[in-house]
Amino acid sequence: MEKQYIIDTLESRETRSAWSRGVNNYAIDLVDGLDDCANLTKEKLLNGARSWTEYSFGGCALIYDADIAEALCTPSELKAKRGGDLQPNTDETWLDVQARALFQASILILKIAKKVDARG
């Protein structure tokens, strides 16, 4: 019940930007991959990884730059980055950007789970 409630809540969220939609989709994927959402923690979401960077670079999420770019960019950003062929910025790789999105997705999930726990 809790797992489905979290997914339903995420699916009903209004997202206005490509980044927000991407973060929301990562959140749905993270929750969907769990067997049990009882007592949800960051560690449970990380599924054995020590950080979201390790999770991203370890192949636990998308692995191709083009797929990550498509998941998080607007059509114009995607065109400017040649579908992920160019790095997102001078300080990050696409896997770094994905780790940042996963981190934000985890915060979103944990906020929803806290509300579920509070209502009993």
Side-chain angles (χ1 to χ4, degrees), residues 26-99:
Y26 277 116
I28 291 168
D29 290 344
L30 284 169
V31 173
D32 195 39
L34 295 173
D35 292 331
D36 176 27
C37 287
N39 303 316
L40 200 52
T41 63
K42 175 184 170 185
E43 290 72 29
K44 199 178 235 186
L45 291 171
L46 281 167
N47 197 24
R50 289 177 282 172
S51 67
W52 291 110
T53 300
E54 185 176 293
Y55 188 97
S56 181
F57 279 79
C60 296
L62 299 174
I63 57 172
Y64 296 110
D65 290 349
D67 293 337
I68 298 167
E70 189 173 323
L72 297 168
C73 292
T74 63
S76 62
E77 290 169 329
L78 197 57
K79 184 177 179 183
K81 297 301 175 184
R82 293 191 208 143
D85 287 341
L86 300 176
Q87 290 304 311
N89 57 59
T90 57
D91 298 325
E92 295 177 303
T93 66
W94 286 108
L95 289 170
D96 292 319
V97 170
Q98 176 174 253

Side-chain angles (χ1 to χ4, degrees), residues 6 10 22-32 105-106 108-109:
I6 293 171
L10 289 165
V23 167
N24 205 62
N25 287 336
Y26 277 116
I28 291 168
D29 290 344
L30 284 169
V31 173
D32 195 39
S106 72
L108 183 59
I109 293 165

